[in-house]
Amino acid sequence: MVRSLFLLIISLSSLYSPNAYQADIIDDLSSYFRSGNAKEVAKNFASTIELIIVDEEDVYSKAQGEQILKDFFTKHPPVKASIFHKINTNPNYRFGVISLTTSKENFRVSVTMKKFNNNFQITELRIEAAKD
């Protein structure tokens, strides 16, 4: 009986994948961009992040990156965001492209993430004008 229960638990635990939630991180980020929620996006930043926003590029701390993204959302209030492309097949790397429509113009948001301590963190965030 104990052995059967043990085998059942083992077989069921193999169905649960800790990466299943992480695979949806691009989906979560898309909804945060849609709502202009810099705080939620920044929760996924690595301790330092390379930010490229329109023509400005630098490496910032997590807190600085959140403030810069918040300023971007203030200047460009989001209207719509949708996932254009995502790569989630590598166990240590994620990449996504989000199409962001704001009240002023359209942007292409590229997000590069690497795995640190079993969590994906954004190491590079690029926001550039969309090429129509």
Side-chain angles (χ1 to χ4, degrees):
M1 174 69 180
V2 172
R3 184 169 185 232
S4 297
L5 184 59
F6 178 74
L7 290 174
L8 177 66
I9 290 171
I10 295 297
S11 65
L12 289 176
S13 68
S14 67
L15 295 174
Y16 169 74
S17 170
N19 291 334
Y21 172 75
Q22 288 292 319
D24 294 328
I25 191 165
I26 303 285
D27 297 322
D28 293 341
L29 290 171
S30 178
S31 69
Y32 301 149
F33 272 93
R34 184 179 311 116
S35 62
N37 193 335
K39 185 174 187 156
E40 287 299 318
V41 174
K43 283 183 181 179
N44 296 286
F45 284 173
S47 58
T48 59
I49 180 164
E50 183 176 357
L51 278 180
I52 301 104
I53 298 183
V54 187
D55 292 328
E56 303 215 10
E57 176 178 353
D58 210 338
V59 176
Y60 300 98
S61 71
K62 191 173 187 171
Q64 289 171 315
E66 179 181 347
Q67 186 58 48
I68 290 167
L69 189 57
K70 185 177 178 183
D71 292 345
F72 172 81
F73 287 141
T74 300
K75 293 175 187 171
H76 305 279
V79 174
K80 178 182 168 190
S82 58
I83 297 170
F84 182 74
H85 178 72
K86 69 178 165 179
I87 297 173
N88 60 6
T89 54
N90 186 314
N92 298 309
Y93 174 83
R94 295 286 185 267
F95 178 78
V97 178
I98 298 168
S99 177
L100 178 66
T101 303
T102 69
S103 61
K104 296 182 180 182
E105 59 187 295
N106 297 329
F107 293 94
R108 179 182 191 265
V109 179
S110 303
V111 183
T112 302
M113 291 169 276
K114 293 182 182 169
K115 192 176 237 182
F116 298 99
N117 299 322
N118 288 332
N119 290 314
F120 285 100
Q121 295 180 341
I122 301 170
T123 56
E124 180 182 298
L125 179 66
R126 179 183 299 266
I127 301 174
E128 56 195 355
K131 296 171 179 69
D132 295 324

